[in-house]
Each structure stands twice: as structure tokens, then as C-alpha cells.
Amino acid sequence: MELTDATATELLGKLASRACSAVELTRSFLDRIARTDSSVGAFLSIDERGALASAAAIDRRRAAGGPLGPLAGIPVAVKDVFCGRGVRSTCGSRMLADFHPPYDATLVARLRAADAILIGRTNMDEFAMGSSTENSAFHPTRNPWDIGRVPGGSSGGSAACLAARQAPLAIGTDTGGSIRQPAAFCGVIGLKPTYGRVSRHGLVAFASSLDQAGPMARTAEDTALLLGVIAGHDPSDSTSARVPVSGYRQALGEPLNGLRLGVVRGQWTEGVERAVASAIERAADLFRELGAELVDVDLPHHAYGIAAYYVIAPCEASSNLARYDGIHVGYRAAAAPRRGPGAAEDDPGAAGDADDSPLIDLYRRSRTEGFGLEVKRRVMLGTFALSAGYQDRYYVKALRVRRLIREDYDAAFQRVDLLIGPTTPTTAYRIGERSADPLAMYLGDLFTVGANLAGLPAISVPCGADGAGLPIGFQLHAPPFQEESLLRAAHQYQSATDWHSRGPELE
Ligand code: GLN
């Protein structure tokens, strides 16, 4: 078996027993990236020199018997939406193409402190707006299972690099499904933690009440390992929770006897591909064989999730993205051609009209050139929905729906421990298939936005393939801060199946 096929847990074992060094291991992943990334396009930048230098430092420390962090020598790929000190952090946008933040996001600092090897930055939809990674300002990422198809998004680079064996662990962010949906499309695990579980300090904001960072990996065990490193209270993030972090790996082995698993059957009768629906049925049946009791539950307001999400997220985005004005931060358009003397007389409106001042002109041109189409669409939707006279009709109403959705989950969790359903209605679609039809793209988020609106943890786990061999994932939801139960259920499922050990042929 190649080193790049091993899980992070297996690699830690090899490092501890000196079967390989951190430098050898890092080199294997860098070689794999060099051989495969021209077709996949998972990465926006690769820090070969920095990665090898950290690996060498870890090897020296190990040889000297010094202390080592829990991820010592393990490469981790980080979505390009986190600030890294001196590291180009683009958010997939032209707006931040040359942004080298002066500080580390808390998540990045925690990975460094755990002795992870930060191997590179992964591609994403611009400012995390999208479901296909086609909205990156740099290049689209391709699905390693079929390079004619999208990897999902917006954390498509992170999901694709795991499927392509370019890194054993990756970080994504999830505002409406961006960890779980690409995980499902690429046949890997993606966990969106409870809102407040992982610090957002240094995570470039899209929709602050929904954004949450989380771990991605091929096994539940690796996902638990990575979550343990990034989770926990952070005084620099006022929304970070003061809830103790569980030992996510300790509970994995506990059997599922007596687990009450809610099946939201009504949710996946319509618009769900047959192969997806039957894979979820089979996963639920397997959980029953593993000792769970299946209980039918209803989430009556589920269907309104998309409408509420696509009001709330753009409203918050239009406010968060106001800072990119070409002056304080981000891309600045070139100076406008100077008006000739007498221009004001030729154009009587020019001098007095604030909209035509050089400052407004600079804002307008910087934002026009710096942002892509989807980001502009969101900013305009959000600005419209928040405008005087419309706020009650859209934003306030969406907040009411959000509350009803949260109450549906509260009621369901009175009766069951976890909920199971599909992560996505379909498997990965073709590149270009939905890019001209934003609504079709948005509807693919049907099953994922609920967890963000309600702030709940949810996980996507590979559980099958369609007729073309494309991966399918099931999704579990849990009550707040029960990431441990999600991981335990996922681990028990993986112990009884081998979907997670399949990989695409790339070379
Ligand atoms: N696809 C959703 C959107 O475009 C979710 C994105 C995300 O979770 N970052 O808004």
C-alpha cells in the first residue's frame, strides 16, 4: 500500500514506529499532488518548502525525544478562506488575490500547535458562495471520480484532495452545506460542527450567523482526530461556545444498541434520484442491524429552508462584503483617467452628484472588477432584501421561518437521538450543467441548509454509488454539541461497510 492511501491514524502509527519519517511522508503527498493536480485542480497554492521544513523539524524533535502534538507530521489541506500569517489567503476571489494576512486564524494556529504539516490551500467557490467550486476566480476543481463533473462546493478543493489521496485530512467551512455536499459528491466524510464549536476568528466571513468550520477526512476516526484539534472555546470569537470538548475518539467503539434513529422519510420522496434514495434506505437498514431503532419523524417546515437561507445568507453577505471597497482591504481598480479641465462645465451633474465622485467611482470599479458574478448576485439580493420597506417582508420573515425550523428539530430530538437522510438529492453533476441556472444550483442545498439555520451539527458519510460509480452520502443530524454521537454512528457504520476504502483511478 502506498503511504498516500493510508489514513491519518495509520500514518501516525507509522511515524511513531519509525516505519517512515515525516519528511518521507510529506514528500509522498507532494509527489502525489504533482502527479494528479493538473487534472483535479484541488489546490490554489502548495507550500512545498514550508511543508518540508516543518516535517524536518518534527523528525528532529522526534529523534531528540521532544514533545509532539497530536497531528505531528500529518499533512492537512486548508480551504483558502482562513487567514494565515504571511500566507496568501484568497477566498477564491480576485478581490483577495494578493492578500497576505498579518495574523493566523485560530484554527490555523491550532493546527500549527498540533504539529500538522500545512501542505497547501484548497480551491473554493468565491467567498464560499456556491455548490460546485465553479465560482472560483482562479480555476474550477474537478471531481476525481469523473473529471467531467463538479466536486461540489464550496469546499470542493478540500473534498477533491481527500478523494485524490493528495492529503489525508482537510478543513472546510459550511454556511449552507459546503462541507457536507462536496464530501458526498467526492465519497469522503465531512462534519459541520455545532455553531460556536470551532472558532471563526480569522475565517473570512460570508454569513456570520451560519458560518462554521469543520473537519473532512476519509474515516470517522480521522475526522474525530481533526475535530479534537480544532474544537474549543476561543476568547477571540464572541460566538464561540464555552462547552468542554469531548474526547471524540474515545466514544467511537461504543455499540449503537438502543440508539433511536429518526428517519425523515417524507423528506426524500420527491426530487431525489432513485439511486440516492435507495442507498439511504440501505444505510438506515444497516443501522437497524447495528442495534438502532428506526423511528419515523417529520420536519414540517423543512421545505422552507432554502427560501429562508437564500434570504438570510445574502443579507449577511451584503453587509460582510461591504468592507471590500478597494481602500481598506482588497483589490483596488487602477486610477480612473483624469477628466480634462472644463469637464465639470461639460457635464453639469459631475461636480455635485455624490454618485459620480472620484471616491464612489473607485468603489464602483474596484467592486465591479474584484467580485465575480455570483458574489454580485448575492450582494444585490441581500441589499435589496434589507432595504427600507422590504426588510419585514423578506429578512424578518426569513428569521421567523428559521425559528420554526429550529423548533421542528427540537421537537424531533425529543423523540430520537439522531436523524438520518440524504446529504444531496443527486450525485455530482457535469461541469457547466447548473452554472447558468442559479436556482437549480440552490435547490441542491435542500437537505443541508437546515443544520445551519438551526445551528446543529451534521455529518455526511459515504454509503454507496450510483450506476455510473459516483459516490452517494447519507447525512446525520444531532442535537447541539453531540458531535461525538455523529462520529460514533459514522464509525460503527464504517466498521460494517467498505465504501470509505474505495478510491478513484487517477493515474
Ligand atoms: N451552496 C450554498 C451557498 O451557495 C452553501 C455555501 C456554503 O455552505 N458556504 O450559499
Side-chain angles (χ1 to χ4, degrees):
M1 187 174 83
E2 305 224 11
L3 277 180
T4 49
D5 287 326
T7 66
T9 307
E10 289 164 350
L11 292 171
L12 283 171
K14 287 183 198 290
L15 289 166
S17 67
R18 321 265 164 131
C20 70
S21 70
V23 167
E24 273 171 284
L25 191 161
T26 302
R27 254 191 227 293
S28 312
F29 283 100
L30 288 168
D31 288 349
R32 175 84 183 157
I33 294 171
R35 291 200 307 273
T36 55
D37 213 43
S38 53
S39 56
V40 178
F43 284 88
L44 283 175
S45 56
I46 294 152
D47 185 10
E48 178 161 349
R49 223 195 296 157
L52 289 170
S54 330
I58 286 160
D59 285 337
R60 281 195 300 273
R61 218 180 321 140
R62 191 184 301 275
L68 293 166
L71 293 180
I74 304 297
V76 181
V78 175
K79 185 177 182 178
D80 212 22
V81 69
F82 291 91
C83 292
R85 192 188 163 125
V87 179
R88 190 171 83 120
S89 309
T90 69
C91 285
S93 182
R94 197 171 172 210
M95 190 54 95
L96 293 176
D98 296 315
F99 180 47
H100 291 76
Y103 70 100
D104 272 344
T106 299
L107 177 140
V108 171
R110 288 195 179 185
L111 290 173
R112 285 194 211 284
D115 290 324
I117 309 287
L118 300 177
I119 197 163
R121 292 303 192 98
T122 57
N123 198 17
M124 56 185 284
D125 286 300
E126 185 176 9
F127 286 102
M129 297 175 193
S131 309
S132 66
T133 316
E134 292 165 294
N135 298 340
S136 164
F138 304 101
H139 55 79
T141 295
R142 293 165 178 277
N143 192 316
W145 292 90
D146 174 350
I147 58 167
R149 292 177 186 268
V150 302
S154 62
S155 313
S158 293
C161 85
L162 293 171
R165 289 2 187 204
Q166 295 170 332
L169 298 176
I171 297 289
T173 61
D174 191 311
T175 303
S178 280
I179 288 178
R180 293 160 285 154
Q181 183 259 21
F185 278 12
C186 290
V188 301
I189 290 196
L191 189 158
K192 182 201 91 73
T194 310
Y195 184 76
R197 177 71 299 178
V198 175
S199 171
R200 291 185 300 112
H201 176 67
L203 158 64
V204 177
F206 160 13
S208 310
S209 78
L210 301 160
D211 296 342
Q212 184 60 203
M216 303 175 75
R218 294 198 305 272
T219 64
E221 196 174 19
D222 281 6
T223 311
L225 170 71
L226 185 53
L227 181 63
V229 167
I230 62 175
H233 179 250
D234 176 12
S236 306
D237 170 2
S238 61
T239 61
S240 159
R242 289 180 185 276
V243 175
V245 172
S246 333
Y248 297 115
R249 280 201 294 173
Q250 277 86 300
L252 293 177
E254 286 170 28
L256 299 180
N257 297 327
L259 178 87
R260 294 167 304 164
L261 184 59
V263 183
V264 204
R265 228 171 234 110
Q267 227 188 43
W268 29 284
T269 39
E270 260 170 65
V272 175
E273 277 177 3
R274 191 193 286 269
V276 174
S278 49
I280 308 307
E281 290 281 358
R282 281 197 302 276
D285 286 344
L286 183 64
F287 274 113
R288 191 176 28 218
E289 286 165 33
L290 292 171
E293 177 199 347
L294 301 188
V295 182
D296 279 322
V297 297
D298 195 18
L299 296 172
H301 300 93
H302 166 260
Y304 304 106
I306 292 274
Y309 172 84
Y310 277 98
V311 170
I312 294 169
C315 284
E316 295 187 20
S318 76
S319 162
N320 273 326
L321 270 57
R323 73 190 66 167
Y324 303 103
D325 58 6
I327 293 175
H328 296 96
V329 58
Y331 172 85
R332 179 180 304 181
R338 290 184 77 98
R339 289 169 186 275
E345 288 101 283
D346 299 345
D347 176 3
D353 184 349
D355 275 4
D356 216 22
S357 72
L359 184 63
I360 299 288
D361 182 59
L362 179 66
Y363 290 161
R364 186 189 296 123
R365 284 183 305 113
S366 299
R367 290 170 69 84
T368 302
E369 294 166 24
F371 288 140
L373 196 62
E374 183 62 27
V375 173
K376 287 177 188 157
R377 181 163 22 236
R378 306 278 178 116
V379 169
M380 285 193 276
L381 279 171
T383 308
F384 172 74
L386 286 174
S387 59
Y390 288 106
Q391 255 181 50
D392 287 352
R393 206 186 294 174
Y394 297 110
Y395 183 64
V396 174
K397 192 163 185 184
L399 291 182
R400 291 206 184 100
V401 174
R402 181 178 193 172
R403 186 193 191 115
L404 292 171
I405 289 175
R406 195 167 44 221
E407 288 170 356
D408 283 352
Y409 283 110
D410 289 348
F413 287 128
Q414 298 291 319
R415 302 177 50 217
V416 298
D417 303 306
L418 297 176
L419 295 171
I420 188 168
T423 307
T424 56
T426 69
T427 53
Y429 38 89
R430 294 195 173 284
I431 290 182
E433 195 177 313
R434 297 197 188 172
S435 36
D437 185 354
L439 202 56
M441 187 84 88
Y442 297 171
L443 287 172
D445 301 333
L446 181 63
F447 300 126
T448 49
V449 294
N452 303 80
L453 290 166
L456 302 175
I459 193 170
S460 179
V461 180
C463 68
D466 69 5
L470 297 167
I472 296 171
F474 69 75
Q475 178 177 222
L476 300 175
H477 284 78
F481 301 103
Q482 308 256 323
E483 284 81 2
E484 202 178 318
S485 337
L486 294 178
L487 289 162
R488 175 166 71 114
H491 180 73
Q492 294 299 318
Y493 178 86
Q494 290 192 320
S495 307
T497 55
D498 63 0
W499 293 109
H500 56 287
S501 37
R502 292 191 325 146
E505 291 288 332
L506 264 175
E507 291 177 277

